[in-house]
Amino acid sequence: MSIRRWVVALSASSLLLTACGSATPESSGTVDPSIPLHYATVFGVSVFDPHKTKITSDATMLNVVYDRLVHRDNQGQPIPGLAESWELADESLTFHLRSDVTFSSGNPLDATAVAANLQRALEPDSVTAPMLAGVTGVNVIDDRTVSLTLDGPGAQLVLALSDLPGMIVDPSAFGTPEKDAQLALTPAGAGRFTLANSLPGAEYEFVARPGYWDPEAIAAESLVWTVMTDPQARLSAVDAGDVDIAITTPLTIDAATQQGLRVDTALRLDHMAINFNRTRSEFGKLEVRQAIAHAIDRQAIADTAMEGHAEAATQNFPKDYFAYEPELADAYPYDPDEARRLLTEAGLPNGFSFTAILLNLPENLQVAQIVQQQLAAVGIDMQLNPLPPSDASPTFNRGDADAIVTTFTGRSDPALLFSSLFGENSPQNPSRSTIPEFQDVLDAANRESDLQARGDKLGEVSTVLSENVLAVPLVFFELGSTMTDQVIGYEPSLLVDEWRGVGIAGS
């Protein structure tokens, strides 16, 4: 293993968060909380139940209505949330909760409620169960203290509990089929906002909770979340003042800047990739997966479909992130001849056909079309089946597709991404199997509490995944927001934007 370029995790993450432009400065005015914050993005939420969703990107909206045991700063580092402090030992992780926190129902949020949530998050049908690997027990010590029993140090678990597994639901809202069905439609949390109205998949209106424990996190008394999949429509809405802030993806960065709009983006952990169902088509053959990896020119995708606002990917983490493995920098270079040779070795000299589903979003469509052309050049016919974001991942996860061209949402800890995508029993792994050595190297990384040593161990996981081509990473890309000059408090995040302290300046 080479010596890793290592800075403390905070500094390493910070290198990714260089803002890429701001045409208009932030207002120097004062936030007026009575002014609603209107946000336009490309997706809504599939369900409001954080432990039973099948789409990990639901966490973006769920962060608005659910607090987690651990929160994160913009660099992705853990900070106190519902837990004021915690201690991690070799065989336990203990959380000390805030006092006088309530759910939106008025019910108290205490250790018993937290324990009920963690036990639910560990249920095998939950997307969160693989993220809590290593937890063998949940114990209530007193009203304000919860301790997890671990089968090892569990270095990944603090940040795991800043994600879906750490979202705390009012226990009175789950536990029966009827309650669970209602929870899918209506959140029951202790977060900054409650859901006032919704048109699922189109628009959601949230109102701030009075008496929330962190008043500085609320700079707008209402948040309106509108789904706009057309990137030009989002820019036009900001330009006209119909929305205050809109998600900005690579296809809109240059256009927004040219229109004189305020743009703030950064390279994030989100990345596009091809993921395979290894029980379908020809994807059970390693040579076929290797052939696809060699047939794709990732730099061409970064330069064209991403308009240069991207980084070609050879693994699941970008350069300068602490889990990046330098020895994989040249893994699977673009080599059509090698791709053809591998297909012949797999018994497919004339290639083969398969169908890939994808999100019906402009960037995803462009990337998929370029991949389609590049695969065709080596004899592989990839048919495209675009689906709405709410349908694409569930369809693939059920095992109803050969492959998916998708965006892997960055997770709060590298181990969570690995276990969610490639864990043998993960609901997000339609192959329902993994390579034998995967779990061993992942467990070794999760038993390592020293940061630099853990980075090296995570690099070994990346190497195993690369050698077996369980997926083909394509590009990391810039994300952030385009906004009016009246927006105050926005900064792009290494992970998902949370809108804590973001509001509108008064006139």
Side-chain angles (χ1 to χ4, degrees):
M1 179 68 63
S2 62
I3 297 176
R4 185 176 308 279
R5 288 180 292 167
W6 185 269
V7 191
V8 294
L10 177 61
S11 299
S13 298
S14 298
L15 294 174
L16 296 176
L17 282 170
T18 302
C20 298
S22 183
T24 307
E26 179 178 297
S27 172
S28 59
T30 301
V31 165
D32 183 346
S34 68
I35 302 176
L37 176 65
H38 290 259
Y39 174 58
T41 188
V42 298
F43 52 83
V45 67
S46 66
V47 295
F48 280 104
D49 186 341
H51 306 143
K52 302 303 179 182
T53 178
K54 303 300 182 186
I55 305 176
T56 53
S57 60
D58 276 352
T60 306
M61 186 183 291
L62 295 181
N63 283 335
V64 172
V65 291
Y66 291 106
D67 266 3
R68 294 98 69 204
L69 286 174
V70 179
H71 286 180
R72 298 184 301 264
D73 63 18
N74 280 355
Q75 313 297 329
Q77 297 305 300
I79 58 176
L82 292 174
E84 291 182 310
S85 62
W86 52 85
E87 295 98 36
L88 176 63
D90 286 348
E91 296 182 353
S92 66
L93 175 58
T94 302
F95 290 96
H96 303 282
L97 305 178
R98 296 183 183 279
S99 60
D100 301 324
V101 176
T102 62
F103 294 101
S104 58
S105 65
N107 292 333
L109 193 157
D110 56 16
T112 300
V114 169
N117 274 263
L118 294 175
Q119 288 161 351
R120 186 172 187 254
L122 282 163
E123 293 174 355
D125 67 334
S126 175
V127 71
T128 52
M131 302 182 194
L132 296 177
V135 176
T136 59
V138 181
N139 310 292
V140 174
I141 307 302
D142 57 41
D143 284 351
R144 308 251 62 83
T145 311
V146 178
S147 183
L148 307 183
T149 303
L150 313 180
D151 66 1
Q156 82 285 6
L157 288 170
V158 171
L159 278 170
L161 291 164
S162 76
D163 209 308
L164 290 167
M167 293 185 180
I168 305 302
V169 183
D170 188 340
S172 69
F174 62 76
T176 69
E178 294 77 17
K179 288 181 177 181
D180 289 348
Q182 183 60 35
L183 182 59
L185 301 174
T186 306
R192 293 162 289 151
F193 293 88
T194 58
L195 179 68
N197 296 288
S198 71
L199 184 60
E203 189 163 277
Y204 307 79
E205 181 183 357
F206 304 94
V207 294
R209 284 187 61 203
Y212 179 69
W213 64 267
D214 184 10
E216 292 184 359
I218 301 176
E221 293 172 0
S222 65
L223 169 63
V224 180
W225 184 298
T226 302
V227 177
M228 291 186 183
T229 57
D230 185 327
Q232 186 54 53
R234 295 196 300 272
L235 294 188
S236 297
V238 174
D239 194 28
D242 296 330
V243 302
D244 303 300
I245 188 165
I247 190 170
T248 299
T249 56
L251 285 183
T252 56
I253 293 173
D254 291 343
T257 302
Q258 290 164 6
Q259 289 178 225
L261 298 173
R262 178 176 157 208
V263 183
D264 201 349
T265 63
L267 192 72
R268 302 224 293 218
L269 295 182
D270 301 55
H271 61 290
M272 290 193 185
I274 303 174
N275 201 4
F276 306 112
N277 183 338
R278 298 188 305 282
T279 68
R280 293 176 61 116
S281 187
E282 302 290 342
F283 297 132
K285 301 175 181 177
L286 174 59
E287 295 86 359
V288 168
R289 304 194 302 272
Q290 291 173 326
I292 289 178
H294 277 297
I296 296 173
D297 185 344
R298 299 165 183 80
Q299 191 60 52
I301 295 172
D303 293 341
T304 55
M306 300 287 105
E307 297 187 356
H309 297 288
E311 176 185 298
T314 59
Q315 56 190 283
N316 295 117
F317 308 108
K319 298 172 184 175
D320 297 322
Y321 184 61
F322 83 96
Y324 177 79
E325 175 46 63
E327 292 185 359
L328 296 178
D330 297 319
Y332 301 101
Y334 177 52
D335 189 341
D337 290 337
E338 177 64 6
R340 296 185 190 95
R341 187 195 68 77
L342 286 162
L343 287 173
T344 299
E345 186 176 323
L348 300 166
N350 298 317
F352 69 103
S353 298
F354 72 96
T355 298
I357 60 175
L358 64 144
L359 281 64
N360 62 350
L361 302 175
E363 282 90 353
N364 296 71
L365 287 166
Q366 289 201 24
V367 168
Q369 288 167 351
I370 292 172
V371 171
Q372 183 183 47
Q373 294 170 1
Q374 293 176 347
L375 294 182
V378 301
I380 300 174
D381 176 28
M382 181 174 78
Q383 297 296 311
L384 302 181
N385 180 19
L387 295 174
S390 59
D391 294 336
S393 291
T395 299
F396 179 71
N397 294 342
R398 285 195 307 269
D400 294 340
D402 301 332
I404 185 170
V405 180
T406 188
T407 298
F408 287 160
T409 304
R411 305 316 306 167
S412 53
D413 185 271
L416 301 188
L417 182 75
F418 290 145
S419 61
S420 296
L421 294 174
F422 309 117
E424 183 173 6
N425 298 314
S426 172
Q428 293 178 264
N429 177 7
S431 303
R432 299 296 185 265
S433 66
T434 193
I435 47 178
E437 61 266 42
F438 167 73
Q439 196 60 51
D440 290 340
V441 290
L442 182 59
D443 288 347
N446 289 340
R447 290 191 176 94
E448 185 57 71
S449 56
D450 177 79
L451 287 178
Q452 183 164 356
R454 185 160 190 259
D456 289 338
K457 294 293 186 182
L458 289 166
E460 292 177 17
V461 182
S462 292
T463 299
V464 167
L465 294 176
S466 178
E467 290 172 350
N468 291 273
V469 199
L470 296 193
V472 177
L474 300 174
V475 288
F476 294 91
F477 51 93
E478 294 174 20
L479 280 175
S481 292
T482 297
M483 67 206 90
T484 70
D485 60 2
Q486 297 304 303
V487 173
I488 292 178
Y490 175 80
E491 295 179 40
S493 173
L494 178 67
L495 295 162
V496 298
D497 291 330
E498 296 192 26
W499 315 109
R500 301 185 75 84
V502 180
I504 304 299
S507 57

